[in-house]
Amino acid sequence: MKEKIKKILKARLTLPPVASFILIAVLSVLITYFTLFIAPINFSVLFLITRNSNFLNLLLNTIPVFLSILILFFATSDFVLSVSIPSFVFIIASVVNRFKILYRHDPFLPWDLSMSAELFGVIGSFGMALLVTAVLGIVFYIIATIIARIFIRTKKINFKLRALGVVLTAALMYLLNSTVYQNPSINQRLYVHGNIFNQVNTSNSRGFIYNFIYMHNTNRLRRPDDFDHQRVVAQRAIFEQANFEALENGVRPHIIMIMGEAFSDIALQPGFDFTGFRHPLENFVRIRDESISGHIVVPSLGGGTGDTEFDVLTGLNTRYLRGVPYSYMLINNYFEALPSILGQIGYRSIAIHPGHEWFYNRQNVFRFFGFERSIFMDEFPEGSHKGPYISDEAATKKIIQTFNDHRTENPDTPLFSFTVTIQNHGPYRDMYMADTNFSTHYDISDDAINVLSNYFYGLADADAQIRDLTDFFENIQEPVVVVYFGDHLPAFTRDVYDVFYPDIHEHGSFEDLSRLFRTPFFIWQNTAARNNLNIDENFANATMPENNIISSPFLGAYLLELLGFNGLSPFMDNVNSLRAEFPVMFETRSFNLNGISSLYLTVEERASLLIYRDWGFYKIFGE
């Protein structure tokens, strides 16, 4: 037996250092291309992306693989281990990325590592056969590595040379990571196939490894250098002196708030003709005209649902918090929001989302916001889907069911119900297999017609939801206020938006900055609310811009003002005060009631913006 082992060991392949370096370079390219191929993207499209990026995407993804293997090779002088360990990590991460995209339509990103609920939620969605295959694959990889180590070895390298190699490789890794891998101009040079605002498209096109590193390097939130909590303390003291003015007659209406997935009024844009077809917004237009209505400027285009949620519920501005990928990541403990604010005057709060509870960590965030109960997709009955998601019809039934249950169980308690719909989430191509349901005089592609027709098909279902909800609540004898708004415009390609929302405005102007970020909202009252509340009077006294366009952080606070719930929250009172000065806020500038950019105002004239910004960071980080 010993003789056989000796023969096997003598038959081992011994690689000289130069051959090892060459093989490491070749294998790094192969491993990288394998990780690119693992992503849910067609091979021909991957080749197109690589060619259009002049192979820069391949280079930027290969370098981390090569350097990871190289530094381990210098450290261990073991060719097999130095290749197998990094390649295992990169391939496993790429597989996780693939299935996270398939199951959640969201790439695997650095912050997912700190959010175990989301990762286990994705893994829990895998079928048993897939999990068994994954385990068998890992076992096979380990066995193959052990066998390779038996038959392949590397000729010894001088220790001093190895130490120098480790130091130089580490220095190169640090240099590239602090320059190339956080350089936005290099990032923008990479070709993106599809909608550039879609994180799946950018991850697939730029490459998982590069995208992961770039996002880690560029998504960090810090307090501004000129942050001053004393400004916040002084401002808070002013509003804490306000008396609670809520409803002298003691009426507290039920509040039904719905954020419609990708709900927009693009169907009202010139260029669309629905003659001979059902107009997808016929009910919305009627209800809007009976209500307090306008548009909110939301944080993102084609995605970012949780950020609009965050803005409306908390009054904070996601656009000031771009250092994190989505604002809900900042909520890790109890945090003032509409549910906790309304809870001070006896409201019970329920959140409804017909999706996975781990989306945006909602199962925890909703609790931290003060929702007493959260309802997710597992509480919807079989057959609730339309397309790949639970339907707006099913969401409407759940809203009505929970409302009726609440009235039975808590007859003297007002309800704050907050729902995030999901049915009309993209991608839209062939989503409902809808026939063409509009005409246009514009020359647009067949693919664009397909996408728009399927989107309008789902939009019509959201429109029916608006009708069914307002019809139901109109017949309720208790006061009910319904707030409906969109989270973002749908994930269309830039070509579609350039046709129907043409880029014809001066760069940096209000129209230019808000063009693709406006979604509609309305605040509707049933007859009982009109007869018992002073909403219309408060509306007449509220300061709003003539175009009724406000940033998303103002909507929730605006609702409190219309209801007369002043004095409940110093921060929300301050938000309403700011709205009267600067109704729309962007990252680098805001616009006052007269449409003048803050870039052209004095420091004193911008003081309220600075206080609001610091108050937001104060709420998140403290002093």
Side-chain angles (χ1 to χ4, degrees):
M1 186 66 180
K2 290 182 179 180
E3 293 298 323
K4 289 183 178 180
I5 294 175
K6 287 181 179 179
K7 287 183 179 180
I8 291 174
L9 293 176
K10 285 183 179 180
R12 287 191 300 178
L13 174 65
T14 301
L15 294 173
V18 174
S20 297
F21 292 142
I22 294 172
L23 277 175
I24 286 172
V26 172
L27 288 172
S28 296
V29 175
L30 294 176
I31 293 166
T32 300
Y33 221 87
F34 186 58
T35 64
L36 294 173
F37 185 68
I38 288 173
I41 187 170
N42 185 278
F43 183 79
S44 62
V45 174
L46 180 59
F47 178 78
L48 172 68
I49 291 168
T50 304
R51 187 184 64 188
N52 287 348
S53 294
N54 296 315
F55 292 87
L56 182 60
N57 68 322
L58 182 59
L59 176 63
L60 291 172
N61 283 274
T62 301
I63 288 173
V65 177
F66 174 71
L67 293 180
S68 298
I69 295 174
L70 192 61
I71 196 170
L72 195 59
F73 177 72
F74 281 127
T76 65
S77 192
D78 189 315
F79 174 81
V80 173
L81 279 183
S82 62
V83 171
S84 62
I85 293 175
S87 61
F88 178 81
V89 172
F90 286 119
I91 290 171
I92 288 295
S94 298
V95 171
V96 172
N97 176 66
R98 173 185 176 84
F99 286 102
K100 188 163 182 279
I101 290 173
L102 292 175
Y103 282 87
R104 185 176 167 178
H105 308 287
D106 189 31
F108 178 37
L109 295 168
W111 39 91
D112 290 321
L113 296 173
S114 64
M115 302 176 72
S116 58
E118 280 78 356
L119 287 177
F120 284 118
V122 173
I123 294 171
S125 301
F126 295 174
M128 182 56 66
L130 189 57
L131 289 173
V132 171
T133 302
V135 171
L136 291 176
I138 292 172
V139 171
F140 174 80
Y141 191 90
I142 294 172
I143 294 172
T145 298
I146 293 172
I147 294 173
R149 284 205 73 210
I150 293 174
F151 288 98
I152 301 174
R153 66 176 179 174
T154 304
K155 188 176 179 181
K156 294 288 185 180
I157 304 175
N158 180 278
F159 177 78
K160 291 183 179 179
L161 288 177
R162 286 171 49 201
L164 181 62
V166 170
V167 171
L168 292 178
T169 305
L172 183 59
M173 294 173 76
Y174 175 80
L175 177 65
L176 291 174
N177 188 64
S178 59
T179 55
V180 173
Y181 286 88
Q182 51 185 285
N183 189 319
S185 62
I186 293 176
N187 183 264
Q188 292 165 12
R189 284 170 55 191
L190 294 170
Y191 171 78
V192 175
H193 183 75
N195 189 341
I196 196 171
F197 297 101
N198 187 314
Q199 285 198 75
V200 171
N201 292 340
T202 56
S203 177
N204 286 346
S205 299
R206 290 167 176 160
F208 161 68
I209 295 173
Y210 166 78
N211 190 67
F212 189 94
I213 297 172
Y214 180 80
M215 296 299 282
H216 170 73
N217 288 336
T218 58
N219 284 268
R220 295 176 183 175
L221 182 66
R222 300 180 181 89
R223 284 186 299 194
D225 292 336
D226 60 343
F227 170 82
D228 183 356
H229 81 277
Q230 291 299 334
R231 285 193 288 248
V232 176
V233 172
Q235 185 77 352
R236 184 175 60 187
I238 294 173
F239 285 98
E240 282 178 341
Q241 295 174 9
N243 295 319
F244 175 53
E245 303 171 0
L247 300 177
E248 293 180 359
N249 59 5
V251 178
R252 296 165 299 167
H254 299 293
I255 302 170
I256 311 298
M257 181 176 278
I258 304 104
M259 185 170 73
E261 171 60 45
F263 187 84
S264 76
D265 51 7
I266 187 174
L268 303 180
Q269 287 292 108
F272 288 112
D273 185 356
F274 294 94
T275 303
F277 304 102
R278 181 222 193 274
H279 197 293
L281 290 177
E282 62 181 10
N283 295 297
F284 165 76
V285 170
R286 174 177 56 84
I287 299 300
R288 177 200 65 185
D289 293 344
E290 299 172 356
S291 309
I292 296 168
S293 63
H295 288 81
I296 55 174
V297 176
V298 298
S300 305
L301 169 64
T305 296
D307 289 339
T308 306
E309 264 177 80
F310 173 88
D311 285 11
V312 172
L313 291 173
T314 67
L316 273 69
N317 188 4
T318 288
R319 290 177 178 271
Y320 289 175
L321 308 171
R322 292 302 196 190
V324 292
Y326 53 89
S327 300
Y328 270 2
M329 280 189 62
L330 299 168
I331 309 302
N332 52 27
N333 211 324
Y334 292 99
F335 200 91
E336 183 185 59
L338 286 182
S340 58
I341 292 170
L342 292 169
Q344 298 176 69
I345 53 173
Y347 274 82
R348 182 168 182 254
S349 298
I350 297 175
I352 302 172
H353 174 55
H356 292 290
E357 67 276 8
W358 38 264
F359 268 39
Y360 291 111
N361 196 28
R362 284 189 179 99
Q363 82 275 26
N364 292 317
V365 172
F366 283 163
R367 177 168 51 88
F368 293 149
F369 279 170
F371 286 105
E372 297 171 54
R373 183 187 175 199
S374 297
I375 297 171
F376 297 104
M377 64 183 300
D378 57 349
E379 294 194 45
F380 284 77
E382 291 283 339
S384 295
H385 285 70
K386 189 164 190 178
Y389 304 105
I390 290 177
S391 69
D392 283 347
E393 180 183 7
T396 299
K397 290 179 179 178
K398 184 63 71 174
I399 293 170
I400 292 173
Q401 174 198 327
T402 54
F403 177 80
N404 286 334
D405 291 345
H406 169 82
R407 293 175 73 207
T408 300
E409 298 165 5
N410 307 276
D412 299 319
T413 303
L415 173 68
F416 173 57
S417 171
F418 176 72
T419 299
V420 181
T421 70
I422 198 172
Q423 178 193 319
N424 216 24
H425 192 292
Y428 301 103
R429 193 177 191 282
D430 293 330
M431 181 175 178
Y432 305 106
M433 304 306 292
D435 295 328
T436 301
N437 50 26
F438 70 96
S439 58
T440 179
H441 62 271
Y442 289 115
D443 183 18
I444 59 176
S445 67
D446 290 341
D447 186 69
I449 291 173
N450 178 303
V451 167
L452 286 163
S453 295
N454 280 277
Y455 172 73
F456 287 145
Y457 183 95
L459 187 63
D461 286 342
D463 187 67
Q465 179 189 35
I466 292 171
R467 176 202 62 211
D468 293 344
L469 284 171
T470 51
D471 284 352
F472 171 79
F473 288 116
E474 177 58 31
N475 292 318
I476 298 298
Q477 300 304 309
E478 303 164 31
V480 178
V481 174
V482 175
V483 183
Y484 195 100
F485 61 98
D487 56 351
H488 53 72
L489 295 184
F492 296 153
T493 63
R494 175 69 74 168
D495 292 342
V496 171
Y497 280 117
D498 284 344
V499 169
F500 297 102
Y501 289 88
D503 184 8
I504 57 176
H505 306 290
E506 179 185 354
H507 179 71
S509 66
F510 169 79
E511 291 79 9
D512 172 56
L513 294 174
S514 67
R515 177 173 66 102
L516 301 180
F517 298 92
R518 303 182 200 174
T519 65
F521 77 86
F522 66 74
I523 301 173
W524 173 89
Q525 313 167 64
N526 68 355
T527 298
R530 288 187 183 277
N531 292 337
N532 291 278
L533 301 175
N534 297 321
I535 291 178
D536 292 330
E537 179 182 343
N538 293 336
F539 167 68
N541 293 328
T543 303
M544 286 283 284
E546 290 185 7
N547 57 12
N548 284 335
I549 299 177
I550 57 176
S551 284
S552 48
F554 292 125
L555 183 59
Y558 183 43
L559 173 66
L560 294 177
E561 182 178 353
L562 292 176
L563 294 173
F565 291 171
N566 304 307
L568 279 179
S569 164
F571 177 72
M572 286 297 196
D573 289 346
N574 180 72
V575 170
N576 281 321
S577 175
L578 180 65
R579 189 198 71 241
E581 294 185 66
F582 293 95
V584 178
M585 302 176 291
F586 296 98
E587 287 84 346
T588 60
R589 70 201 70 186
S590 300
F591 292 87
N592 67 14
L593 280 173
N594 298 318
I596 299 174
S597 169
S598 58
L599 297 180
Y600 304 111
L601 301 177
T602 65
V603 174
E604 291 76 16
E605 290 170 327
R606 301 195 308 266
S608 58
L609 287 169
L610 193 62
I611 292 171
Y612 169 76
R613 183 205 68 178
D614 283 2
W615 203 332
F617 281 97
Y618 181 82
K619 288 169 73 70
I620 293 169
F621 294 111
E623 299 181 11

